[in-house]
Amino acid sequence: MQIAVTFRHMEASDPLRGYVEEKLERVKKYIDEPVEAQVVLSVEKKIRHRAEVALTAKGITIKGSDETNDMYAAVDGMVDKVERQLKRYKEKIKNHKPSSGRERTVQKTVFAAESIDEGQGAPSIIRSHSFPVKPMSVEEAVMQMDLLQKEFLVFTDDESEAINVVYRRRDGNYGLIIPQTS
């Protein structure tokens, strides 16, 4: 496991770095592949100690953070949260059964609508974000979206190699947008 520990607004501490590495060793039992962990430890206003981690392994990214008055307690809370997410992920993988050859294909078409507010200027892009798009199945994309606690996820379908979007609906279910070429 490769662990990178960054200290913000505090001095680097070898005992604290060792404690983080020791605690993150617990998560190795949930993932067989090599794991990269990026940990950020920070102190805000001299009383709030925050520990954040981003684990990347086997095509998934898991994030966790905790904030307390003690840095060691924050590290413990962060590792507990990540461990719970990994347990949930491992259970979903174990319960996931490969589907048979008979799959029903559902195609949806998304139409562009004219804007209601024609008199106003065009909206501007305020923020841009780029990220790697990994090939995965729809089920894996839903699990990844849940792990990252996002409302939608853009991914490449591992069978058709087309870029798809999976999103969380208001009723609690999931939606899938599949592009259709003419």
Side-chain angles (χ1 to χ4, degrees), residues 5-18:
V5 181
T6 305
F7 296 90
R8 288 193 184 144
H9 308 295
M10 62 185 288
E11 293 194 26
S13 165
D14 286 334
L16 190 56
R17 185 185 313 266

Side-chain angles (χ1 to χ4, degrees), residues 81-96:
K81 287 179 182 179
V82 168
E83 199 169 15
R84 268 182 280 162
Q85 289 180 21
L86 283 170
K87 282 180 187 176
R88 193 171 7 138
Y89 173 71
K90 190 101 174 181
E91 285 296 316
K92 285 183 179 181
I93 293 291
K94 190 167 53 172
N95 293 336
H96 175 69

